[in-house]
Coordinates of all heavy atoms in Angstrom, one line a residue:
M30 N 18.3 -25.2 20.7 CA 17.0 -24.4 20.7 C 17.2 -23.1 20.1 O 16.5 -22.7 19.2 CB 16.5 -24.4 22.2 CG 15.2 -23.6 22.3 SD 13.8 -24.5 21.6 CE 12.5 -23.4 21.9
N31 N 18.2 -22.3 20.7 CA 18.4 -21.0 20.2 C 18.9 -21.0 18.7 O 18.4 -20.2 17.9 CB 19.5 -20.3 21.0 CG 18.9 -19.5 22.1 OD1 17.7 -19.2 22.1 ND2 19.7 -19.1 23.1
G32 N 19.7 -22.0 18.4 CA 20.2 -22.2 17.0 C 19.0 -22.4 16.1 O 19.0 -21.8 15.0
R33 N 18.1 -23.2 16.5 CA 16.9 -23.5 15.7 C 16.1 -22.2 15.4 O 15.6 -22.0 14.4 CB 16.0 -24.5 16.4 CG 15.6 -25.6 15.5 CD 15.0 -26.7 16.3 NE 13.8 -27.1 15.6 CZ 12.9 -27.9 16.2 NH1 13.1 -28.3 17.4 NH2 11.8 -28.2 15.5
L34 N 15.9 -21.4 16.5 CA 15.1 -20.2 16.4 C 15.8 -19.2 15.4 O 15.2 -18.6 14.5 CB 15.0 -19.4 17.7 CG 13.9 -19.8 18.6 CD1 13.9 -19.1 19.9 CD2 12.6 -19.6 17.9
F35 N 17.1 -19.2 15.5 CA 17.9 -18.3 14.6 C 17.7 -18.8 13.1 O 17.5 -17.9 12.3 CB 19.4 -18.4 15.0 CG 20.3 -17.4 14.3 CD1 20.2 -16.1 14.6 CD2 21.1 -17.9 13.3 CE1 21.0 -15.2 13.9 CE2 21.9 -17.0 12.6 CZ 21.9 -15.6 12.9
L36 N 17.7 -20.1 12.9 CA 17.6 -20.6 11.6 C 16.2 -20.2 11.1 O 16.0 -19.8 9.9 CB 17.7 -22.1 11.6 CG 17.6 -22.8 10.3 CD1 18.9 -22.5 9.5 CD2 17.6 -24.3 10.5
L37 N 15.2 -20.4 11.9 CA 13.8 -20.0 11.5 C 13.7 -18.6 11.1 O 13.1 -18.2 10.1 CB 12.8 -20.3 12.7 CG 12.1 -21.6 12.7 CD1 11.2 -21.7 13.9 CD2 11.4 -21.8 11.4
A38 N 14.3 -17.7 12.0 CA 14.3 -16.3 11.7 C 14.9 -16.0 10.3 O 14.4 -15.2 9.5 CB 15.0 -15.5 12.8
G39 N 16.0 -16.7 10.0 CA 16.7 -16.5 8.7 C 15.8 -16.9 7.6 O 15.7 -16.2 6.6
I40 N 15.1 -18.0 7.8 CA 14.2 -18.4 6.7 C 13.1 -17.4 6.5 O 12.7 -17.1 5.4 CB 13.6 -19.8 7.1 CG1 14.7 -20.9 7.0 CG2 12.4 -20.2 6.1 CD1 14.3 -22.2 7.5
F41 N 12.5 -16.9 7.6 CA 11.5 -15.9 7.4 C 12.0 -14.7 6.7 O 11.3 -14.1 5.9 CB 10.9 -15.5 8.8 CG 9.9 -16.5 9.3 CD1 10.0 -17.0 10.6 CD2 8.8 -16.8 8.5 CE1 9.0 -18.0 11.0 CE2 7.8 -17.7 9.0 CZ 8.0 -18.3 10.2
A42 N 13.2 -14.2 7.1 CA 13.7 -13.0 6.5 C 13.9 -13.2 5.0 O 13.6 -12.4 4.2 CB 15.1 -12.7 7.2
A43 N 14.5 -14.4 4.6 CA 14.7 -14.7 3.2 C 13.4 -14.7 2.4 O 13.2 -14.2 1.3 CB 15.4 -16.0 3.1
T44 N 12.4 -15.3 3.1 CA 11.1 -15.4 2.4 C 10.5 -14.0 2.2 O 9.9 -13.7 1.1 CB 10.1 -16.2 3.3 OG1 10.7 -17.4 3.6 CG2 8.8 -16.5 2.5
A45 N 10.6 -13.1 3.2 CA 10.1 -11.8 3.1 C 10.8 -11.0 2.0 O 10.1 -10.4 1.2 CB 10.3 -11.1 4.5
L46 N 12.1 -11.1 1.9 CA 12.8 -10.4 0.9 C 12.3 -10.9 -0.5 O 12.1 -10.2 -1.4 CB 14.3 -10.7 1.0 CG 15.0 -9.8 2.0 CD1 16.5 -10.1 2.1 CD2 14.8 -8.3 1.7
G47 N 12.2 -12.2 -0.6 CA 11.8 -12.8 -1.9 C 10.5 -12.3 -2.3 O 10.2 -11.9 -3.4
A48 N 9.6 -12.3 -1.4 CA 8.2 -11.9 -1.6 C 8.2 -10.4 -2.1 O 7.4 -10.1 -3.0 CB 7.3 -12.1 -0.4
D49 N 9.0 -9.7 -1.5 CA 9.1 -8.2 -1.8 C 9.5 -8.0 -3.2 O 8.8 -7.3 -4.0 CB 10.1 -7.6 -0.9 CG 9.8 -6.1 -0.6 OD1 8.6 -5.8 -0.5 OD2 10.7 -5.3 -0.5
Q50 N 10.5 -8.7 -3.7 CA 11.0 -8.5 -5.1 C 9.9 -9.0 -6.0 O 9.6 -8.4 -7.1 CB 12.3 -9.2 -5.3 CG 12.9 -8.9 -6.7 CD 13.0 -7.4 -7.0 OE1 13.6 -6.6 -6.1 NE2 12.5 -6.9 -8.1
A51 N 9.3 -10.1 -5.7 CA 8.2 -10.7 -6.5 C 7.1 -9.7 -6.6 O 6.5 -9.5 -7.7 CB 7.7 -12.0 -5.9
A52 N 6.7 -9.0 -5.5 CA 5.6 -8.1 -5.5 C 6.0 -6.9 -6.4 O 5.1 -6.4 -7.2 CB 5.3 -7.6 -4.1
L53 N 7.2 -6.4 -6.3 CA 7.7 -5.3 -7.2 C 7.5 -5.7 -8.6 O 7.1 -4.9 -9.5 CB 9.1 -4.9 -6.8 CG 9.3 -4.3 -5.4 CD1 10.8 -3.9 -5.2 CD2 8.4 -3.2 -5.1
D54 N 8.0 -6.9 -9.0 CA 7.8 -7.4 -10.4 C 6.4 -7.4 -10.8 O 6.0 -7.0 -11.9 CB 8.5 -8.7 -10.5 CG 10.0 -8.7 -10.4 OD1 10.6 -7.5 -10.4 OD2 10.6 -9.7 -10.2
R55 N 5.5 -7.9 -9.9 CA 4.1 -8.0 -10.3 C 3.5 -6.6 -10.4 O 2.7 -6.4 -11.3 CB 3.3 -8.8 -9.2 CG 3.4 -10.3 -9.4 CD 2.5 -11.0 -8.4 NE 3.0 -10.9 -7.1 CZ 2.3 -10.4 -6.0 NH1 1.1 -10.0 -6.2 NH2 2.8 -10.4 -4.8
G56 N 4.0 -5.7 -9.6 CA 3.5 -4.3 -9.6 C 3.9 -3.7 -11.0 O 3.0 -3.0 -11.6
Q57 N 5.1 -4.0 -11.4 CA 5.5 -3.4 -12.7 C 4.7 -3.9 -13.9 O 4.3 -3.2 -14.8 CB 7.0 -3.7 -12.9 CG 7.5 -3.0 -14.2 CD 9.0 -3.0 -14.2 OE1 9.7 -3.8 -13.6 NE2 9.6 -2.0 -14.9
K58 N 4.4 -5.2 -13.8 CA 3.5 -5.9 -14.8 C 2.1 -5.2 -14.8 O 1.5 -5.0 -15.8 CB 3.4 -7.4 -14.6 CG 4.6 -8.2 -15.1 CD 4.1 -9.6 -15.5 CE 5.4 -10.4 -15.8 NZ 5.7 -11.4 -14.8
E59 N 1.6 -5.0 -13.6 CA 0.3 -4.5 -13.4 C 0.3 -3.1 -14.0 O -0.7 -2.7 -14.7 CB -0.1 -4.4 -11.9 CG -1.5 -4.0 -11.6 CD -2.5 -4.9 -12.3 OE1 -2.5 -6.1 -12.0 OE2 -3.4 -4.4 -13.0
E60 N 1.3 -2.3 -13.8 CA 1.4 -1.0 -14.4 C 1.3 -1.0 -15.9 O 0.6 -0.3 -16.6 CB 2.7 -0.3 -13.9 CG 2.8 1.1 -14.5 CD 4.3 1.6 -14.3 OE1 5.2 0.9 -14.7 OE2 4.4 2.8 -13.8
A61 N 2.1 -2.0 -16.5 CA 2.2 -2.1 -17.9 C 0.8 -2.5 -18.5 O 0.4 -2.1 -19.6 CB 3.3 -3.1 -18.3
R62 N 0.1 -3.3 -17.7 CA -1.2 -3.7 -18.2 C -2.3 -2.7 -18.0 O -3.1 -2.4 -18.9 CB -1.6 -5.0 -17.4 CG -2.7 -5.8 -18.0 CD -3.2 -6.9 -17.0 NE -3.7 -6.2 -15.8 CZ -4.9 -5.6 -15.7 NH1 -5.7 -5.6 -16.7 NH2 -5.3 -5.1 -14.5
S63 N -2.3 -2.0 -16.8 CA -3.5 -1.2 -16.5 C -3.3 0.3 -16.6 O -4.3 1.0 -16.7 CB -4.0 -1.6 -15.1 OG -3.0 -1.2 -14.1
C64 N -2.1 0.8 -16.8 CA -1.9 2.2 -16.7 C -1.7 2.9 -18.1 O -1.8 4.1 -18.2 CB -0.8 2.6 -15.8 SG -0.9 2.0 -14.1
I65 N -1.4 2.1 -19.1 CA -1.0 2.7 -20.4 C -2.1 3.0 -21.3 O -1.9 3.6 -22.3 CB 0.2 2.0 -21.1 CG1 -0.2 0.5 -21.3 CG2 1.5 2.2 -20.3 CD1 0.9 -0.2 -22.1
P66 N -3.4 2.5 -21.1 CA -4.4 2.7 -22.1 C -4.7 4.2 -22.3 O -5.1 4.7 -23.4 CB -5.6 2.0 -21.5 CG -5.1 0.9 -20.7 CD -3.8 1.5 -20.1
C67 N -4.5 5.1 -21.2 CA -4.9 6.5 -21.3 C -3.7 7.5 -21.5 O -3.9 8.5 -22.0 CB -5.7 6.8 -20.1 SG -7.2 5.8 -19.9
H68 N -2.6 7.1 -20.9 CA -1.5 8.1 -21.0 C -0.2 7.4 -20.9 O -0.1 6.2 -20.5 CB -1.6 9.2 -19.9 CG -1.8 8.6 -18.5 ND1 -0.8 8.0 -17.8 CD2 -2.8 8.7 -17.6 CE1 -1.2 7.6 -16.6 NE2 -2.5 8.0 -16.5
S69 N 0.9 8.1 -21.2 CA 2.2 7.4 -21.2 C 2.7 7.2 -19.7 O 2.2 7.8 -18.8 CB 3.2 8.3 -21.9 OG 3.8 9.3 -21.1
L70 N 3.7 6.3 -19.6 CA 4.3 6.0 -18.3 C 5.1 7.2 -17.8 O 5.3 7.3 -16.6 CB 5.2 4.8 -18.4 CG 4.4 3.5 -18.6 CD1 5.4 2.3 -18.7 CD2 3.4 3.2 -17.5
R71 N 5.4 8.1 -18.7 CA 6.2 9.3 -18.3 C 5.4 10.1 -17.2 O 6.0 10.6 -16.3 CB 6.6 10.1 -19.4 CG 7.5 11.3 -19.0 CD 7.8 12.3 -20.1 NE 8.6 11.7 -21.1 CZ 8.8 12.3 -22.3 NH1 8.3 13.5 -22.5 NH2 9.6 11.7 -23.2
L72 N 4.1 10.2 -17.5 CA 3.3 11.0 -16.6 C 3.4 10.4 -15.2 O 3.3 11.1 -14.1 CB 1.9 11.0 -17.1 CG 0.8 11.9 -16.4 CD1 1.2 13.3 -16.5 CD2 -0.5 11.7 -17.0
I73 N 3.5 9.1 -15.1 CA 3.6 8.4 -13.8 C 5.0 8.5 -13.2 O 5.2 8.8 -12.1 CB 3.2 6.9 -14.0 CG1 1.7 6.8 -14.5 CG2 3.3 6.1 -12.7 CD1 1.3 5.4 -14.9
H74 N 6.0 8.2 -14.1 CA 7.3 8.1 -13.6 C 8.0 9.4 -13.3 O 9.1 9.5 -12.7 CB 8.2 7.3 -14.6 CG 7.7 5.9 -14.8 ND1 8.3 5.0 -15.7 CD2 6.7 5.2 -14.2 CE1 7.7 3.8 -15.6 NE2 6.8 3.9 -14.8
S75 N 7.3 10.5 -13.7 CA 7.9 11.8 -13.3 C 7.4 12.3 -12.0 O 7.8 13.3 -11.5 CB 7.5 12.8 -14.4 OG 6.1 12.9 -14.5
Q76 N 6.5 11.5 -11.4 CA 6.0 11.9 -10.0 C 6.9 11.4 -8.9 O 7.6 10.5 -9.1 CB 4.6 11.3 -9.8 CG 3.6 11.4 -10.9 CD 3.0 12.8 -11.0 OE1 2.8 13.4 -10.0 NE2 2.7 13.2 -12.2
R77 N 6.9 12.1 -7.8 CA 7.6 11.6 -6.6 C 6.5 11.8 -5.5 O 6.4 12.8 -4.9 CB 8.8 12.4 -6.3 CG 9.9 12.2 -7.3 CD 10.5 10.8 -7.3 NE 11.5 10.6 -8.3 CZ 11.3 10.2 -9.6 NH1 10.1 9.9 -10.0 NH2 12.3 10.0 -10.4
L78 N 5.9 10.7 -5.1 CA 4.8 10.7 -4.2 C 5.0 9.8 -3.0 O 5.6 8.7 -3.1 CB 3.5 10.4 -4.9 CG 3.1 11.2 -6.1 CD1 1.8 10.6 -6.7 CD2 2.9 12.6 -5.8
S79 N 4.4 10.1 -1.9 CA 4.4 9.2 -0.7 C 3.5 8.1 -1.0 O 2.7 8.1 -2.0 CB 3.9 10.0 0.5 OG 2.5 10.3 0.3
K80 N 3.5 7.0 -0.2 CA 2.7 5.9 -0.4 C 1.2 6.3 -0.3 O 0.4 5.9 -1.1 CB 3.0 4.8 0.7 CG 2.3 3.5 0.4 CD 2.8 2.4 1.4 CE 2.3 1.1 0.9 NZ 2.9 0.0 1.6
A81 N 0.9 7.2 0.7 CA -0.5 7.6 0.8 C -1.0 8.4 -0.4 O -2.1 8.2 -0.9 CB -0.6 8.5 2.1
A82 N -0.1 9.2 -1.0 CA -0.4 10.0 -2.2 C -0.6 9.0 -3.4 O -1.5 9.2 -4.2 CB 0.6 11.0 -2.4
W83 N 0.3 8.0 -3.5 CA 0.1 7.0 -4.6 C -1.3 6.3 -4.4 O -1.9 6.0 -5.4 CB 1.3 6.0 -4.6 CG 2.4 6.5 -5.4 CD1 3.7 6.7 -4.9 CD2 2.5 6.9 -6.8 NE1 4.5 7.1 -6.0 CE2 3.8 7.3 -7.1 CE3 1.5 6.9 -7.8 CZ2 4.1 7.7 -8.4 CZ3 1.9 7.3 -9.1 CH2 3.2 7.7 -9.3
N84 N -1.6 6.0 -3.2 CA -2.8 5.3 -2.9 C -4.0 6.2 -3.4 O -4.9 5.7 -4.1 CB -3.0 5.0 -1.4 CG -4.0 4.0 -1.1 OD1 -4.2 3.0 -1.9 ND2 -4.7 4.1 0.0
K85 N -4.0 7.5 -3.1 CA -5.0 8.4 -3.6 C -5.0 8.4 -5.1 O -6.1 8.5 -5.7 CB -4.7 9.8 -3.0 CG -5.4 10.1 -1.8 CD -5.4 11.6 -1.6 CE -5.8 12.1 -0.2 NZ -5.3 13.4 0.1
E86 N -3.8 8.5 -5.7 CA -3.7 8.5 -7.1 C -4.4 7.3 -7.8 O -5.1 7.5 -8.8 CB -2.2 8.6 -7.5 CG -1.9 9.1 -8.9 CD -2.3 10.5 -9.1 OE1 -1.9 11.4 -8.3 OE2 -3.1 10.8 -10.0
L87 N -4.2 6.1 -7.2 CA -4.8 4.9 -7.7 C -6.4 5.0 -7.6 O -7.1 4.6 -8.4 CB -4.3 3.7 -7.0 CG -2.8 3.3 -7.3 CD1 -2.4 2.1 -6.6 CD2 -2.6 3.2 -8.8
D88 N -6.8 5.6 -6.4 CA -8.3 5.8 -6.3 C -8.8 6.8 -7.4 O -9.9 6.5 -8.0 CB -8.6 6.5 -4.9 CG -8.5 5.5 -3.8 OD1 -8.5 4.3 -4.0 OD2 -8.4 6.0 -2.6
K89 N -8.0 7.8 -7.7 CA -8.4 8.8 -8.7 C -8.5 8.1 -10.0 O -9.5 8.3 -10.8 CB -7.4 9.9 -8.7 CG -7.7 11.1 -9.6 CD -6.7 12.2 -9.3 CE -6.5 13.1 -10.4 NZ -5.4 14.2 -10.1
M90 N -7.5 7.3 -10.4 CA -7.5 6.6 -11.7 C -8.6 5.6 -11.8 O -9.3 5.5 -12.8 CB -6.1 5.9 -11.9 CG -5.0 6.9 -12.0 SD -5.2 8.2 -13.3 CE -4.7 9.6 -12.4
A91 N -8.9 5.0 -10.6 CA -10.0 4.0 -10.6 C -11.3 4.7 -10.9 O -12.2 4.2 -11.6 CB -10.1 3.3 -9.2
G92 N -11.4 6.0 -10.4 CA -12.7 6.8 -10.6 C -12.8 7.1 -12.1 O -14.0 7.4 -12.5
W93 N -11.7 7.0 -12.8 CA -11.8 7.3 -14.3 C -11.9 6.0 -15.1 O -11.7 6.0 -16.3 CB -10.6 8.2 -14.7 CG -10.8 9.6 -14.3 CD1 -11.9 10.2 -14.0 CD2 -9.7 10.5 -14.1 NE1 -11.6 11.5 -13.6 CE2 -10.3 11.7 -13.7 CE3 -8.3 10.5 -14.2 CZ2 -9.5 12.9 -13.4 CZ3 -7.6 11.6 -13.9 CH2 -8.2 12.8 -13.5
G94 N -12.1 4.9 -14.3 CA -12.3 3.6 -15.0 C -11.2 2.7 -15.1 O -11.2 1.6 -15.8
T95 N -10.1 3.0 -14.4 CA -8.9 2.1 -14.5 C -9.2 0.8 -13.6 O -9.6 1.0 -12.5 CB -7.7 2.8 -13.9 OG1 -7.5 4.0 -14.6 CG2 -6.4 1.9 -14.0
V96 N -9.0 -0.3 -14.2 CA -9.2 -1.6 -13.5 C -7.8 -2.1 -13.1 O -7.0 -2.5 -14.0 CB -10.0 -2.6 -14.4 CG1 -10.1 -3.9 -13.7 CG2 -11.3 -2.0 -14.8
V97 N -7.6 -2.2 -11.8 CA -6.3 -2.7 -11.3 C -6.6 -4.0 -10.6 O -7.4 -4.1 -9.7 CB -5.6 -1.7 -10.4 CG1 -4.4 -2.3 -9.7 CG2 -5.3 -0.5 -11.1
N98 N -5.9 -5.1 -11.0 CA -6.1 -6.4 -10.4 C -5.2 -6.6 -9.1 O -5.7 -7.1 -8.1 CB -5.8 -7.6 -11.4 CG -6.8 -7.5 -12.5 OD1 -8.0 -7.1 -12.4 ND2 -6.4 -8.0 -13.7
D99 N -4.0 -6.2 -9.3 CA -3.0 -6.5 -8.2 C -2.6 -5.1 -7.6 O -1.5 -4.7 -7.7 CB -1.8 -7.2 -8.8 CG -1.0 -8.0 -7.8 OD1 -1.3 -7.7 -6.6 OD2 -0.2 -8.8 -8.2
R100 N -3.6 -4.5 -6.9 CA -3.4 -3.2 -6.4 C -2.2 -3.1 -5.3 O -1.4 -2.2 -5.4 CB -4.7 -2.7 -5.8 CG -4.6 -1.2 -5.4 CD -5.9 -0.7 -4.8 NE -5.6 0.6 -4.2 CZ -6.3 1.7 -4.4 NH1 -7.2 1.7 -5.3 NH2 -5.9 2.8 -3.8
D101 N -2.2 -4.0 -4.4 CA -1.1 -4.0 -3.4 C 0.3 -4.0 -4.0 O 1.1 -3.2 -3.6 CB -1.3 -5.2 -2.4 CG -2.5 -5.0 -1.5 OD1 -3.1 -4.0 -1.5 OD2 -2.8 -6.0 -0.9
A102 N 0.5 -4.9 -5.0 CA 1.8 -5.0 -5.6 C 2.1 -3.7 -6.4 O 3.2 -3.2 -6.4 CB 1.8 -6.2 -6.6
L103 N 1.1 -3.1 -7.1 CA 1.3 -1.9 -7.8 C 1.6 -0.8 -6.9 O 2.6 0.0 -7.2 CB 0.0 -1.6 -8.6 CG 0.1 -0.3 -9.4 CD1 1.2 -0.3 -10.4 CD2 -1.3 0.0 -10.2
L104 N 0.9 -0.7 -5.8 CA 1.2 0.4 -4.8 C 2.7 0.3 -4.3 O 3.4 1.3 -4.1 CB 0.2 0.4 -3.7 CG 0.3 1.5 -2.6 CD1 0.2 2.8 -3.2 CD2 -0.8 1.3 -1.6
E105 N 3.1 -1.0 -4.0 CA 4.4 -1.2 -3.5 C 5.5 -0.8 -4.6 O 6.5 -0.2 -4.2 CB 4.6 -2.6 -3.1 CG 5.7 -2.9 -2.1 CD 5.6 -4.3 -1.5 OE1 4.4 -4.6 -1.1 OE2 6.6 -4.9 -1.4
Y106 N 5.2 -1.2 -5.8 CA 6.1 -0.9 -6.9 C 6.2 0.6 -7.1 O 7.4 1.2 -7.2 CB 5.6 -1.6 -8.1 CG 6.1 -1.0 -9.4 CD1 7.4 -1.2 -9.9 CD2 5.3 -0.1 -10.2 CE1 7.9 -0.7 -11.1 CE2 5.8 0.5 -11.3 CZ 7.0 0.2 -11.8 OH 7.5 0.8 -13.0
L107 N 5.1 1.3 -7.1 CA 5.1 2.8 -7.3 C 5.9 3.5 -6.2 O 6.7 4.4 -6.4 CB 3.7 3.3 -7.4 CG 2.9 2.9 -8.7 CD1 1.5 3.3 -8.6 CD2 3.5 3.6 -9.9
T108 N 5.6 3.1 -4.9 CA 6.2 3.7 -3.8 C 7.7 3.4 -3.8 O 8.5 4.3 -3.5 CB 5.6 3.2 -2.5 OG1 4.2 3.3 -2.6 CG2 6.0 4.1 -1.3
A109 N 8.1 2.2 -4.1 CA 9.5 1.9 -4.1 C 10.3 2.6 -5.2 O 11.5 3.0 -4.9 CB 9.7 0.3 -4.3
N110 N 9.7 2.8 -6.3 CA 10.5 3.4 -7.4 C 10.3 4.9 -7.6 O 11.1 5.6 -8.1 CB 10.1 2.7 -8.7 CG 10.7 1.3 -8.8 OD1 11.8 1.1 -8.9 ND2 9.8 0.3 -8.6
F111 N 9.1 5.4 -7.2 CA 8.7 6.8 -7.5 C 8.2 7.4 -6.2 O 7.3 8.2 -6.2 CB 7.7 6.9 -8.6 CG 8.1 6.0 -9.8 CD1 7.4 4.9 -10.1 CD2 9.2 6.4 -10.6 CE1 7.9 4.0 -11.2 CE2 9.7 5.5 -11.6 CZ 9.0 4.4 -11.9
G112 N 8.8 7.0 -5.1 CA 8.5 7.6 -3.8 C 9.0 9.0 -3.6 O 9.9 9.4 -4.4
D113 N 8.4 9.7 -2.6 CA 8.9 11.1 -2.4 C 10.3 11.2 -1.8 O 10.8 12.3 -1.5 CB 7.8 11.9 -1.6 CG 7.5 11.2 -0.3 OD1 8.1 10.2 0.0 OD2 6.7 11.8 0.5
D114 N 10.9 10.0 -1.5 CA 12.3 10.0 -1.0 C 13.3 9.9 -2.1 O 14.5 9.9 -1.9 CB 12.5 8.9 0.0 CG 12.2 7.5 -0.6 OD1 11.4 7.5 -1.6 OD2 12.7 6.5 -0.1
K115 N 12.8 9.8 -3.4 CA 13.7 9.6 -4.5 C 14.0 11.0 -5.1 O 13.2 11.9 -5.1 CB 13.0 8.7 -5.6 CG 12.7 7.3 -5.1 CD 13.9 6.5 -5.1 CE 13.7 5.0 -4.7 NZ 13.3 4.9 -3.3
P116 N 15.2 11.1 -5.7 CA 15.5 12.4 -6.4 C 14.6 12.7 -7.5 O 14.1 11.7 -8.2 CB 16.9 12.2 -6.8 CG 17.2 10.7 -6.8 CD 16.2 10.1 -5.8
L117 N 14.3 13.9 -7.8 CA 13.5 14.3 -8.9 C 14.1 13.9 -10.2 O 15.3 14.0 -10.4 CB 13.2 15.8 -8.9 CG 12.3 16.3 -7.8 CD1 12.3 17.9 -7.8 CD2 10.9 15.8 -8.0
P118 N 13.3 13.5 -11.2 CA 13.9 13.1 -12.5 C 14.3 14.4 -13.2 O 13.7 15.4 -13.0 CB 12.8 12.4 -13.2 CG 11.5 13.0 -12.6 CD 11.9 13.3 -11.1
T119 N 15.3 14.3 -14.2 CA 15.6 15.4 -15.0 C 14.4 15.6 -15.9 O 13.9 14.7 -16.5 CB 16.9 15.2 -15.8 OG1 16.9 13.8 -16.3 CG2 18.1 15.4 -15.0
P120 N 14.0 16.9 -16.1 CA 12.9 17.2 -17.0 C 13.2 16.7 -18.4 O 14.3 16.9 -18.9 CB 12.7 18.7 -16.9 CG 13.7 19.2 -15.9 CD 14.6 18.1 -15.6
A121 N 12.1 16.2 -19.1 CA 12.3 15.8 -20.5 C 12.3 17.1 -21.3 O 11.6 18.0 -21.0 CB 11.2 14.9 -20.9
M122 N 13.0 17.1 -22.4 CA 13.0 18.2 -23.3 C 11.6 18.2 -24.0 O 11.1 17.2 -24.4 CB 14.0 18.0 -24.4 CG 15.5 17.9 -23.9 SD 16.2 19.5 -23.8 CE 16.5 19.8 -25.5
S123 N 11.0 19.4 -24.1 CA 9.7 19.4 -24.8 C 9.6 20.8 -25.5 O 8.5 21.1 -26.0 CB 8.6 19.2 -23.7 OG 8.6 20.3 -22.8
G124 N 10.6 21.6 -25.5 CA 10.5 23.0 -25.9 C 10.5 23.2 -27.4 O 10.0 24.3 -27.8
N125 N 10.9 22.3 -28.3 CA 11.1 22.7 -29.7 C 9.9 22.2 -30.6 O 10.0 22.2 -31.8 CB 12.4 22.2 -30.2 CG 12.5 20.7 -30.3 OD1 11.5 20.0 -29.9 ND2 13.6 20.2 -30.7
G126 N 8.9 21.7 -29.9 CA 7.7 21.3 -30.7 C 7.8 20.0 -31.5 O 6.9 19.7 -32.2
T127 N 8.9 19.3 -31.3 CA 8.9 18.0 -32.0 C 8.4 16.8 -31.2 O 8.3 15.7 -31.7 CB 10.4 17.7 -32.4 OG1 11.2 17.6 -31.2 CG2 11.0 18.7 -33.3
R128 N 8.0 17.0 -29.9 CA 7.4 16.0 -29.2 C 6.6 16.4 -28.0 O 6.3 17.6 -27.9 CB 8.4 14.9 -28.7 CG 9.6 15.5 -28.0 CD 10.6 14.4 -27.7 NE 11.1 14.5 -26.3 CZ 11.9 13.7 -25.8 NH1 12.2 12.6 -26.4 NH2 12.3 13.8 -24.5
Ligands
HEC225 C1 -9.1 5.6 -17.9 C2 -8.0 6.3 -18.3 C3 -6.7 6.2 -17.3 C4 -6.1 5.1 -16.9 C5 -6.3 3.7 -17.3 C6 -5.0 5.6 -16.0 N1 -5.1 7.0 -15.9 FE1 -3.7 8.1 -14.9 N2 -4.6 9.8 -15.7 C7 -5.8 9.8 -16.5 C8 -6.1 11.2 -16.8 C9 -7.3 11.6 -17.6 C10 -5.1 12.0 -16.1 C11 -5.1 13.5 -16.1 C12 -4.1 13.9 -17.2 C13 -3.9 15.4 -17.1 O1 -4.1 15.9 -16.1 O2 -3.5 15.9 -18.2 C14 -4.2 11.1 -15.5 C15 -3.1 11.5 -14.8 C16 -2.3 10.7 -14.0 C17 -1.2 11.1 -13.2 C18 -0.7 12.6 -13.1 C19 -1.2 13.2 -11.8 C20 -2.6 13.5 -11.9 O3 -3.3 13.0 -11.0 O4 -3.1 14.1 -12.8 C21 -0.7 10.0 -12.6 C22 0.5 10.0 -11.6 C23 -1.4 8.9 -13.1 N3 -2.4 9.3 -14.0 C24 -1.2 7.6 -12.7 C25 -1.9 6.5 -13.2 C26 -1.6 5.1 -12.9 C27 -0.6 4.7 -11.8 C28 -2.4 4.3 -13.6 C29 -2.5 2.8 -13.6 C30 -3.0 2.3 -12.3 C31 -3.2 5.2 -14.5 N4 -2.9 6.5 -14.2 C32 -4.1 4.8 -15.4 C33 -6.5 8.7 -16.9 C34 -6.1 7.4 -16.7

């Protein structure tokens, strides 16, 4: 009985992990599809925001006409990769007028 429960728990854990990575992949695809018409990904990837702040950011972009199909996955992807617990990115060079 206990062994069976343990096995079940293992299956659930594995499924949850799998779903998580799949969601992150879907989130990245969603970003590539819905976020680049107006600005570069650098503007997004240079942020470090909490999940709540990313959620607000998505609301703001939606207000400007962004259509997101897979919002949950996108929010998860943004929070996992560009969360406020991540180190700040090194600033891009922009001082010499060539870009
Ligand atoms: C309809 C055009 C449009 C689309 C599509 C769009 N954005 Fe934006 N985004 C903007 C504008 C306009 C700004 C403001 C740029 C500035 O301040 O110079 C901006 C700025 C940002 C910023 C910088 C912080 C801020 O609020 O100014 C982030 C982060 C961002 N967008 C994330 C996203 C994400 C994530 C997506 C995809 C879900 C997305 N954007 C899609 C128009 C858009």
Side-chain angles (χ1 to χ4, degrees):
M30 181 67 182
N31 268 343
R33 227 169 133 192
L34 273 180
F35 188 71
L36 184 68
L37 265 183
I40 290 171
F41 277 127
T44 310
L46 280 178
D49 210 34
Q50 188 53 52
L53 296 181
D54 291 347
R55 275 189 289 124
Q57 187 165 23
K58 279 210 186 107
E59 185 61 55
E60 179 193 52
R62 194 192 60 76
S63 63
C64 304
I65 55 176
C67 301
H68 52 67
S69 86
L70 290 179
R71 184 188 293 172
L72 189 60
I73 300 170
H74 295 179
S75 59
Q76 313 285 326
R77 294 293 179 268
L78 305 176
S79 66
K80 189 170 193 175
W83 274 121
N84 198 35
K85 264 198 195 160
E86 199 63 55
L87 291 183
D88 284 344
K89 183 170 159 183
M90 295 307 135
W93 287 335
T95 306
V96 178
V97 173
N98 296 328
D99 203 345
R100 189 181 164 125
D101 288 351
L103 177 58
L104 183 57
E105 203 166 314
Y106 158 81
L107 290 171
T108 310
N110 290 286
F111 314 107
D113 57 0
D114 57 338
K115 299 282 180 294
L117 287 173
T119 40
M122 300 272 286
S123 64
N125 67 2
T127 60
R128 46 188 226 176

